[in-house]
Amino acid sequence: MTSTASGGGPSDGRTDTAALTGLTAAELAAKLAAGEVSSVEVTRAYLDRIAAVEPAVHAFLHVDEEGALAAARRADEDRAAGRASSELAGVPLALKDVLTTSDMPTTCGSKMLEGWTPPYDATVTRRLREAGVVLLGKTNMDEFAMGSSTENSAYGPTRNPWDTERIPGGSGGGSSAALAAFEAPLAIGTDTGGSIRQPGAVTGTVGVKPTYGGVSRHGLVAFSSSLDQAGPCGRTVLDAALLHEVIAGHDPLDSTSVDAPVPQVVAAAREGAAGDLRGVRVGVVRELGGEGYQEGVQRSFRAAVDQLTALGAEVVEVSCPHFDYGLGAYYLIAPSECSSNLARFDAMRYGLRVGDDGSRSAEEVMSLTREAGFGPEVKRRIMLGTYALSSGYYDAYYGQAQKVRTLITRDFTAAFEQVDVLVSPTTPTTAFRIGERVENPMEMYLADLCTIPSNLAGNASMSVPSGLSDEDGLPVGLQIMAPPMADDRLYRVGAAYEAARDAAQGGALIDRVPQLEVA
Amino acid sequence: MTAVAEIMDYDELLERFDPVLGLEVHVELSTATKMFCGCATDFGAEPNTQVCPVCLGMPGALPVVNGTAVESAIRIGLALNCRVAEWCRFARKNYFYPDMPKNFQTSQYDEPIVFDGYLDVVLDDGETFRVEIERAHMEEDTGKSMHVGGAAGRIHGAEHTLMDYNRAGVPLIEIVTKPIVGAGERAPEVARAYVTALRDLLRSMRVSDVRMDQGSLRCDANVSLSPKGSAEFGTRTETKNVNSLRSVERAVRYEMRRHAGVLTAGGTIVQETRHFDESTASTSAGRPKETAEDYRYFPEPDLVPIAPSNEWIEQLRETLPELPWERRKRVQQDWQLSDEELRDLVNAGALDLVAATVDAGASPAEARSWWVAYLSQQANTQGVELEALAITPEQVARVIELVSEGKLTHKLARQVVDGVLAGKGDPDEVVATEGIEVVSDDSALQAAVDEALAAQPDVADKIRGGKVQAAGAVVGAVMKATQGQADAKRVRELVLAACGQ
């Protein structure tokens, strides 16, 4: 029997479960701290919600009910003993299945790693546990984080809670959908070309790609090492900030991790929420807009820019001429690195093994396993990258792409001499229909047009919802970009904008998620 | 079709061709931990006990550079008169092989940490040959494959293969020479002398165990031939599995002769890897090289560039020990050796052993005599390197001490050394258990002396008549009777006394 239930927000249902799952992480943290609710109750409420809506959404690849409740009990005990590990102690979270967990499988959305439980925790995982955060489970994703729709998961697509016929973005569609479906108050994503921000934009949630090196990559199964960055996802800017401070910081196990103090993002979010952006210079990137962008997305973006002006920000247009070449450079650099990073999946030490019947050589088993274990998009990128790195082609492809990368970084540097933050739409369109772009990879790649430059340059970038597109009623994201290690600026501007948006639009956007069919 | 060509007589080939060598030496550093993780590097541990997610290439694991390995690389570069890169990176060398957990090797490609150096190599006749160094770079070792069921542990015909990843990720320095030209007939000797000099250098720096038998020093020998007088290099082959200094020389010599045979018969040399077989002193074809391989090198994105400051480089320069050639000069002075004596000492591989024996209290002359003469013979007989003999410099020094104290004769001393070599314990233990001692008890000797004099009455008369030099025959008889354990000097005194002299 099925019935319909609320999105989980406070405006409907009014069951205890809905009341708890509708709260923001900051609100939950306050209630936990005040002893008004226990982590076990909160965790139970989320597990119930997951059980109810997963058939419609499929945000999770693995739900660890037992582990989550055990962690919740520990958080409650610690709090009772007066030693809560952090502000977020006892708050549940959904972890993208690309970060290693020693007590849960880590599949990266691939058949290649089906059933594989890593022997170690990622640094992000460890920091979450140490902060007392309750891990609900692992979220769905495009295979090895390659995709913009979560349709490349070997375990079936995740559906967008705003319209279950549509994609939730990707590669981290599971994490963002879990937030929008009120299956988790917080989530972790990873962003190589937009895999946190684009899903955030199309699900009406907040996603942040921190500065490259701001969050450790140790235990993040690599797609493209020089671009990958884990980051926080939440339903509000403040929630993302609270999570950001838990996971960020130098890690000696990651040589590319930045050895500098974590930007004060929580303080920045609280400051921003006061709604004063006087003295903040905002640059609208001329190259990220116009032709090819959905009308409703452009209108939402212009309204957001007007709102920033109204908050006192000084808005100017800036040009970043080399951004036009970002997509091309990205689709040489990322596949090149992935062709090397994914070479280790060879059936020898872990994961899938195909054709090992005693008659075949190791090389044959490797080939058969890789043929069977990788999906078409992963194979396409491995082949692209292998080609781009080949002797005789390296200079023309990989070498040239690295030069473009340098030019894009210089565009950012020049722009940040004029302004404090840059803004653009997060993605050119709202969520497209499942299956719509599967046959056309180029069309699919365009979803990351606006997000890719920040990965290439390594700077900090956020997507914050700017409302719904007036033509299809689907969420639109505003992208805010800041210089490396100035992540706090994202939070100040993002929180100010978010507060003004909610005031102007009559309440939190996320509470307008339609009701989901529940099991 | 290429016919099987005869290998050519060495003298004949030298009339037609000039050899060009290139030597690539891989040195396993003796750092406590691996190149990119904290795993131990002990040789001979149980398989797969010195591994972690990083060196097993587990998903998500990241490398962190071993600072000591970088220091060793720079120090080696400085000792080889190299320039140190102002800025360099690691690179990934991509190829699939089960002994390499990530299916790429983290190495250095076009940005080695040190480059453009040289090593002056002393040949057997004391002449110096300068070998120019192209570069030395850092990389990680692979795991070990053990092919089971095939012949001689090779993959061909094996039923299955066992993998041991203990060695995977052990720091390696690869030292590459520039093309070595102009060595002519001495090319094989230059190859051996170069590897020997490099080994001695690295050992003096304590950066590696440099054990060729254990693989902590491995040499790949590239050989090509140019027609006599031509400046153009021929096609080269790369010979691997060269596991001793002697093999370096033999492998180079064999490849020179093989190339000459093929070329003279109108054939072409295939650019390939060759496998050296110790038992036949010949090489066989391995996998075809370069043309088929495309390693798709690109800068390692998981590591940050290394930019050694001048200050750091100078600090490291100060840590260099006395280098072998400086040491040889000093030893020659301190021990007052002729050029020839020094050369014999060095060629015997005995310098360190003699020095250690001197440090343990022996005189340089005695120590040198033992190692260069008697012990070198024993090593030859056993077919091992001098240093591999089962005797320590301290033990040799003790034997020398026993002789100088008069407790052993030279002849007895050899018996004691033989006992030590046979594993019977320390010199003192051998002396005790074998009952080896100089017989200096007069009452025991007196009987033997009387007996000997009685047996040779005519000689006894001569001595009594003042011909003391005739005593030698009696002394010899006594020594024989006492099986060499008597103190010859004392015997002589007793003989003379018995004859009233």
Side-chain angles (χ1 to χ4, degrees):
Chain A
M1 189 189 115
T2 57
S3 64
T4 56
S6 71
S11 60
D12 51 47
R14 292 294 166 193
T15 63
D16 283 345
T17 294
L20 285 176
T21 57
L23 299 176
T24 67
E27 288 164 350
L28 274 178
K31 282 192 178 295
L32 286 163
E36 293 170 24
V37 66
S38 73
S39 176
V40 169
E41 287 171 296
V42 173
T43 301
R44 189 75 259 170
Y46 271 107
L47 290 169
D48 290 349
R49 174 70 185 171
I50 289 168
V53 303
E54 264 301 271
V57 181
H58 189 37
F60 284 86
L61 292 177
H62 182 85
V63 176
D64 183 16
E65 182 166 340
E66 213 172 291
L69 288 170
R73 274 193 295 277
R74 271 196 304 280
D76 286 336
E77 284 161 16
D78 285 349
R79 195 177 290 282
R83 43 184 165 82
S85 319
S86 76
E87 196 170 343
L88 290 180
V91 177
L93 173 140
L95 188 61
K96 189 177 179 183
D97 203 27
V98 71
L99 289 150
T100 59
T101 42
S102 56
D103 55 356
M104 284 184 266
T106 300
T107 70
C108 301
S110 180
K111 288 287 176 207
M112 191 59 95
L113 286 176
E114 188 163 15
W116 180 64
T117 298
Y120 73 106
D121 273 343
T123 296
V124 167
T125 308
R126 181 177 57 76
R127 287 193 170 155
L128 290 168
R129 292 192 208 275
E130 285 170 2
V133 173
V134 173
L135 304 184
L136 294 167
K138 308 294 287 286
T139 57
N140 199 10
M141 56 186 284
D142 286 301
E143 184 177 8
F144 288 108
M146 298 178 201
S148 305
S149 68
T150 319
E151 290 166 291
N152 295 333
S153 168
Y155 304 99
T158 295
R159 292 169 181 276
N160 191 327
W162 290 83
D163 176 350
T164 54
E165 295 306 309
R166 291 178 186 265
I167 59 99
S171 65
S175 285
S176 295
L179 295 174
F182 294 89
E183 294 179 86
L186 293 171
I188 296 289
T190 62
D191 191 315
T192 306
S195 289
I196 288 174
R197 290 162 289 160
Q198 182 258 4
V202 301
T203 58
T205 57
V206 176
V208 177
K209 183 200 90 69
T211 300
Y212 181 79
V215 177
S216 171
R217 290 187 298 115
H218 172 71
L220 192 179
V221 180
F223 157 21
S224 180
S225 312
S226 73
L227 301 165
D228 295 343
Q229 184 57 219
C233 307
R235 290 196 287 260
T236 69
V237 171
L238 177 60
D239 284 3
L242 290 166
L243 183 53
H244 190 129
E245 288 196 2
V246 167
I247 60 173
H250 180 243
D251 179 10
L253 297 177
D254 174 2
S255 309
T256 61
S257 140
V258 176
D259 192 1
V262 177
Q264 300 286 303
V265 296
V266 172
R270 293 204 162 112
E271 181 195 350
D276 184 358
L277 289 182
R278 277 176 298 178
V280 176
R281 295 166 301 165
V282 175
V284 174
V285 182
R286 185 185 302 155
E287 286 75 12
L288 300 179
E291 203 187 329
Y293 287 69
Q294 193 179 313
E295 291 288 336
V297 168
Q298 298 204 53
R299 281 192 289 273
S300 177
F301 175 66
R302 280 194 295 272
V305 171
D306 289 345
Q307 221 135 24
L308 292 172
T309 309
L311 288 165
E314 182 194 327
V315 179
V316 295
E317 189 178 76
V318 297
S319 175
C320 295
H322 299 98
F323 282 19
D324 289 344
Y325 307 102
L327 196 69
Y330 176 85
Y331 276 101
L332 288 168
I333 292 169
S336 292
E337 292 184 7
C338 107
S339 73
S340 176
N341 281 329
L342 271 62
R344 72 190 62 202
F345 301 105
D346 64 359
M348 293 297 120
R349 292 160 298 277
Y350 45 78
L352 186 68
R353 180 179 287 186
V354 173
D356 182 20
D357 60 4
S359 76
R360 294 193 172 93
S361 71
E363 286 76 8
E364 287 170 309
V365 172
M366 281 185 190
S367 283
L368 288 169
T369 302
R370 290 169 69 81
E371 167 62 32
F374 290 139
E377 183 62 25
V378 171
K379 285 179 190 161
R380 177 162 31 239
R381 297 199 195 188
I382 288 174
M383 285 188 283
L384 269 173
T386 303
Y387 186 78
L389 289 176
S390 294
S391 148
Y393 297 98
Y394 180 94
D395 290 341
Y397 294 123
Y398 186 80
Q400 200 66 14
Q402 290 291 14
K403 288 179 191 164
V404 171
R405 187 175 191 172
T406 302
L407 293 173
I408 287 173
T409 305
R410 286 185 192 160
D411 279 358
F412 270 117
T413 308
F416 287 128
E417 280 167 11
Q418 300 171 54
V419 297
D420 300 307
V421 294
L422 292 168
V423 293
S424 76
T426 305
T427 181
T429 68
T430 55
F432 45 90
R433 288 180 193 284
I434 289 173
E436 193 178 314
R437 297 189 185 180
V438 171
E439 300 301 324
N440 189 340
M442 271 310 292
E443 186 94 344
M444 184 77 87
Y445 295 170
L446 286 173
D448 293 333
L449 194 63
C450 308
T451 45
I452 278 172
S454 293
N455 297 91
L456 290 173
N459 57 283
S461 187
M462 166 190 280
S463 179
V464 59
S466 62
L468 303 180
S469 166
D470 50 20
E471 64 215 336
D472 56 18
L474 291 167
V476 178
L478 167 70
Q479 179 174 232
I480 308 170
M481 295 164 272
M485 294 311 278
D487 305 44
D488 49 330
R489 293 186 200 172
L490 306 177
Y491 287 92
R492 181 174 171 206
V493 175
Y497 169 71
E498 178 185 59
R501 178 205 69 199
D502 287 352
Q505 298 180 1
L509 182 74
I510 197 69
D511 291 332
R512 289 149 70 184
V513 178
Q515 293 182 343
L516 284 168
E517 212 169 79
V518 300
Chain B
M1 290 297 292
T2 48
V4 178
E6 294 287 317
I7 69 163
M8 186 179 278
D9 176 75
Y10 195 67
D11 290 336
E12 190 185 341
L13 93 83
L14 291 166
E15 284 169 21
R16 297 169 182 247
F17 300 101
D18 289 321
V20 179
L21 304 181
L23 298 167
E24 294 170 21
V25 172
H26 284 88
V27 183
E28 266 186 14
L29 296 180
S30 50
T31 50
T33 58
K34 292 186 180 180
M35 188 73 216
F36 300 116
C37 65
C39 288
T41 56
D42 304 333
F43 181 82
E46 274 290 298
N48 297 311
T49 54
Q50 296 176 165
V51 291
C52 74
V54 174
C55 57
L56 284 178
M58 287 280 176
L62 294 174
V64 177
V65 173
N66 181 335
T68 308
V70 177
E71 290 187 351
S72 295
I74 294 175
R75 292 173 73 230
I76 290 169
L78 293 172
L80 291 172
N81 309 290
C82 287
R83 293 166 61 193
V84 179
E86 286 174 22
W87 190 88
C88 70
R89 287 182 291 191
F90 285 93
R92 292 188 184 178
K93 180 180 184 180
N94 294 285
Y95 65 97
F96 282 83
Y97 203 76
D99 67 8
M100 209 165 48
K102 297 169 292 183
N103 286 317
F104 62 78
Q105 181 187 33
T106 305
S107 178
Q108 291 195 288
Y109 179 46
D110 50 358
E111 298 165 345
I113 185 148
V114 296
F115 55 96
D116 277 355
Y118 62 86
L119 180 61
D120 284 331
V121 172
V122 183
L123 303 181
D124 290 351
D125 64 359
E127 202 180 298
T128 297
F129 190 97
R130 174 162 293 187
V131 174
E132 297 199 60
I133 307 292
E134 171 84 32
R135 57 185 283 167
H137 71 250
M138 300 176 281
E139 60 185 31
E140 57 181 333
D141 212 341
T142 60
K144 269 185 191 162
S145 307
M146 275 160 289
H147 305 296
V148 181
R154 295 193 68 182
I155 191 165
H156 185 72
E159 282 166 7
H160 63 276
T161 301
L162 298 174
M163 300 304 311
D164 176 6
Y165 292 106
N166 281 352
R167 199 182 68 177
V170 167
L172 283 183
I173 304 292
E174 180 176 343
I175 302 165
V176 182
T177 66
K178 290 182 177 166
I180 301 170
V181 294
E185 62 174 328
R186 306 190 71 172
E189 184 194 343
V190 166
R192 172 178 48 76
Y194 167 73
V195 179
T196 308
L198 194 55
R199 182 196 63 172
D200 293 348
L201 171 65
L202 298 172
R203 182 158 43 202
S204 75
M205 294 174 66
R206 298 174 194 278
V207 290
S208 168
D209 297 336
V210 286
R211 292 280 298 267
M212 289 188 90
D213 56 333
Q214 293 184 353
S216 55
L217 187 149
R218 308 196 275 273
C219 176
D220 300 339
N222 290 276
V223 174
S224 71
L225 295 183
S226 308
K228 199 89 188 161
S230 164
E232 211 165 299
F233 294 171
T235 304
R236 69 191 158 89
T237 53
E238 180 181 1
T239 303
K240 291 184 180 286
N241 194 44
V242 187
N243 295 331
S244 71
L245 294 170
R246 185 161 160 259
S247 294
V248 173
E249 183 163 356
R250 295 203 302 169
V252 168
R253 180 181 287 265
Y254 179 84
E255 274 299 281
M256 283 170 63
R257 295 177 64 198
R258 190 184 67 82
H259 282 215
V262 170
L263 293 170
T264 307
T268 50
I269 296 296
V270 182
Q271 187 170 338
E272 64 185 355
T273 302
R274 309 277 305 176
H275 186 88
F276 184 69
D277 184 335
E278 296 262 358
S279 61
T280 59
S282 64
T283 68
S284 56
R287 58 189 159 89
K289 183 87 174 158
E290 307 305 349
T291 44
E293 293 279 3
D294 179 354
Y295 293 121
R296 306 190 311 280
Y297 281 101
F298 72 104
E300 167 59 273
D302 283 331
L303 293 169
V304 292
I306 296 171
S309 68
N310 284 335
E311 215 179 344
W312 189 32
I313 293 169
E314 290 316 309
Q315 277 170 12
L316 291 174
R317 197 189 298 278
E318 280 168 27
T319 68
L320 291 183
E322 183 183 38
L323 299 174
W325 46 91
E326 296 164 352
R327 177 151 180 248
R328 281 198 289 271
K329 209 175 278 175
R330 180 177 57 81
V331 160
Q332 187 172 15
Q333 280 179 358
D334 288 358
W335 298 349
Q336 299 186 329
L337 304 180
S338 69
D339 287 351
E340 196 178 14
E341 285 168 330
L342 176 69
R343 201 175 65 225
D344 289 347
L345 188 61
V346 172
N347 289 347
L351 185 60
D352 286 340
L353 296 163
V354 171
T357 309
V358 171
D359 287 346
S363 77
E366 288 284 343
R368 198 160 54 81
S369 159
W370 273 102
W371 285 107
V372 176
Y374 187 70
L375 288 167
S376 283
Q377 285 164 24
Q378 303 310 305
N380 260 340
T381 311
Q382 290 185 25
V384 297
E385 301 276 338
L386 192 55
E387 66 195 355
L389 282 179
I391 189 164
T392 65
E394 291 72 23
Q395 289 169 331
V396 174
R398 177 59 183 156
V399 170
I400 292 169
E401 188 181 15
L402 289 171
V403 173
S404 71
E405 286 171 357
K407 291 180 180 156
L408 290 179
T409 63
H410 268 284
K411 189 173 174 204
L412 289 178
R414 284 189 197 148
Q415 283 182 36
V416 172
V417 166
D418 290 345
V420 175
L421 290 173
K424 293 176 181 167
D426 278 340
D428 289 300
E429 285 165 354
V430 174
V431 166
T433 54
E434 307 276 297
I436 301 172
E437 56 178 335
V438 174
V439 179
S440 52
D441 173 0
D442 282 359
S443 61
L445 283 180
Q446 193 63 56
V449 166
D450 293 346
E451 205 172 302
L453 286 171
Q456 303 181 68
D458 48 335
V459 178
D461 285 344
K462 280 184 188 165
I463 301 169
R464 285 190 195 100
K467 228 175 162 193
V468 291
Q469 59 268 44
V474 183
V475 172
V478 173
M479 292 306 288
K480 197 174 173 192
T482 56
Q483 286 163 354
Q485 295 199 11
D487 177 351
K489 204 172 141 205
R490 182 64 190 149
V491 172
R492 186 181 170 82
E493 287 167 7
L494 290 174
V495 170
L496 294 178
C499 298
Q501 294 294 329

